[in-house]
Amino acid sequence: MKKYILKRLLTAIPVLLMISIGAFVLVNLAPGDPADLYVVPDATPQQIEATRRALGLDQPYPVQYLRWLSRALRGDLGQSFSTRYPVLPILISRLIPTVTLMGTTLLFSYIIAIPLGIISARKQGTWIDTLLTGGSFVGVSIPNFFLGLGLIYIFSVQLGWFPTGGMSELGEEGGLLTTLHHLVLPVSVLSAFYIANMTRYMRATMIEVYGENYIRTATAKGLARQVILTRHGIRNALIPVITIIGTDLPRLVGGAIVTEQIFQWPGLGRLTIVAINQRDYPILMAVTILSAVVVLLANLLVDIMYAVVDPRIKYD
C-alpha cells in the first residue's frame, strides 16, 4: 500500500504541471486586458503600459508562466491584481469558510441520506419508497438559486428567523453559535441536492446487494435481519457509494458558487466570481491548482477506502 500511495503521489506531479499549463493558457486567452480595469478611464498608453509592467503582463506568455511556476514551487502564488496582497493568505482566509460550509453540508447530507436509502430499499414498492424516491427527484431537480431565494424570502424576510447572508453579524465577532445560525439556510439549500442524490444511489445499491446469493444464504441460515443488514448489506453497499463520496470531496474546496453568491458567503466560490469579473489571474490560477490538488487527493483517498471496506482489494 505504501508503494502504491507513493507511486500515485509521484504520478500527480506531471498531472498538476499539465493542469497549471492548461489553466494558464485558458486564463490568458480570455478576452480583455486586465490592465484596463486598474487604470483611470482616460489613461494614456504610457500609463496603461506602466500598469501592465507593474502587473507582470508585459512579458511573453512562456516567461510569465515560468515566473509563476518558479514562485509557486517556493510557496509563493503571487499577488492579487485587485488588492496587491499576497494570494496565499487570501486563499486561506476564504478556504476556511468554504470548508466549514461544504463540510457541514456533506456530513449532514450523509447522516440523513444513507439511512433514507436503506429504508427505501427495504420498503421497495411501498408508499414509503415512493415518497422517498419522489422526494429525491425533487431534490435533484430544484435549482439552488430558486430554493435559496425562496428560503430567504420565507425564513429571513417574512419570519425573520435566520440572517439573509454572511458568516456573522456586521461589526460583531462570529462565535460558534453565530456561525451555526448563519449556516442553517445555505446548508439547507446545498443539502437538498446531496441528500437526494445519495439517497438514490444508496437505495439502488442496497437493492442490488439484497439480491445477492450471500444475502439469501444468510437469510436461509436464520440470521437476524439486523445482523444481515449491518454485517453483510451495508458494508458491501458502501463500496460503490464511496465513489460518489469521492466525487463530493473536491467540492469541500471548490465550494458552491451559486449558493455562496446568494447568501454572500465569504468562501472560495464567491472569490472565484470576483476574480473572474476583475480578471485577477493570480487568484484564478491559485484556485484552479488548489482544486486540482484536492481532486487528486480525493481520488487517492477513495482507493484507500476501497481497500479498507473490502479486504479483497489489494494494491501491489
Side-chain angles (χ1 to χ4, degrees):
M1 177 66 78
K2 292 181 180 179
K3 291 182 179 180
Y4 174 77
I5 295 175
L6 180 61
K7 182 180 178 181
R8 287 288 298 272
L9 292 176
L10 292 175
T11 306
I13 295 176
V15 173
L16 284 175
L17 182 63
M18 296 303 297
I19 291 174
S20 67
I21 295 174
F24 183 84
V25 171
L26 291 176
V27 164
N28 283 276
L29 284 178
D33 189 345
D36 295 338
L37 297 176
Y38 304 110
V39 295
V40 293
D42 55 348
T44 64
Q46 292 78 11
Q47 290 173 322
I48 295 176
E49 185 60 30
T51 302
R52 287 179 55 82
R53 211 165 27 246
L55 297 177
L57 299 174
D58 59 322
Q59 299 295 325
Y61 288 152
V63 176
Q64 292 183 40
Y65 173 75
L66 291 176
R67 285 183 175 180
W68 176 88
L69 182 61
S70 64
R71 290 196 303 264
L73 293 176
R74 299 193 301 268
D76 180 10
L77 297 177
Q79 288 185 332
S80 168
F81 285 172
S82 58
T83 64
R84 304 307 295 165
Y85 282 109
V87 170
L88 189 58
I90 297 175
L91 207 65
I92 294 175
S93 66
R94 295 302 189 98
L95 178 62
I96 295 174
T98 291
V99 171
T100 301
L101 173 62
M102 297 306 299
T104 305
T105 298
L106 294 180
L107 181 62
F108 176 75
S109 301
Y110 296 153
I111 291 175
I112 299 298
I114 291 177
L116 288 181
I118 295 173
I119 293 172
S120 182
R122 292 184 62 180
K123 302 293 183 179
Q124 183 183 7
T126 66
W127 67 270
I128 297 177
D129 180 35
T130 303
L131 179 64
L132 293 176
T133 303
S136 298
F137 280 110
V138 172
V140 171
S141 304
I142 189 168
N144 279 359
F145 69 88
F146 180 80
L147 180 59
L149 293 176
L151 293 183
I152 289 175
Y153 178 76
I154 296 173
F155 294 103
S156 298
V157 177
Q158 295 296 324
L159 299 178
W161 290 357
F162 302 104
T164 57
M167 198 172 176
S168 61
E169 299 296 337
L170 186 63
E172 296 182 4
E173 294 185 2
L176 178 59
L177 293 179
T178 301
T179 303
L180 291 176
H181 191 217
H182 284 75
L183 274 171
V184 171
L185 290 186
V187 167
S188 299
V189 171
L190 292 172
S191 297
F193 171 80
Y194 289 110
I195 291 175
N197 194 46
M198 181 58 72
T199 299
R200 291 168 58 225
Y201 276 103
M202 194 67 192
R203 175 186 180 275
T205 305
M206 287 299 297
I207 290 176
E208 183 178 352
V209 168
Y210 282 147
E212 296 291 340
N213 291 330
Y214 59 85
I215 296 293
R216 297 193 186 97
T217 302
T219 304
K221 289 182 177 180
L223 291 179
R225 178 176 296 182
Q226 193 66 26
V227 174
I228 297 174
L229 177 65
T230 55
R231 291 188 181 181
H232 302 284
I234 295 179
R235 185 166 185 175
N236 287 280
L238 285 178
I239 296 175
V241 170
I242 288 174
T243 305
I244 307 303
I245 296 176
T247 60
D248 289 340
L249 287 179
R251 295 187 176 98
L252 285 172
V253 173
I257 293 178
V258 174
T259 305
E260 288 188 8
Q261 280 291 99
I262 292 174
F263 292 97
Q264 298 298 296
W265 192 262
L268 284 177
R270 190 178 173 199
L271 176 65
T272 303
I273 292 296
V274 173
I276 292 173
N277 292 331
Q278 297 179 342
R279 297 172 190 162
D280 201 335
Y281 294 169
I283 293 288
L284 293 176
M285 286 293 296
V287 172
T288 302
I289 296 303
L290 178 61
S291 301
V293 169
V294 174
V295 169
L296 293 173
L297 291 178
N299 290 333
L300 176 60
L301 180 61
V302 167
D303 289 342
I304 295 174
M305 291 173 65
Y306 282 148
V308 172
V309 173
D310 190 349
R312 295 171 298 178
I313 299 178
K314 302 293 182 181
Y315 297 111
D316 296 328

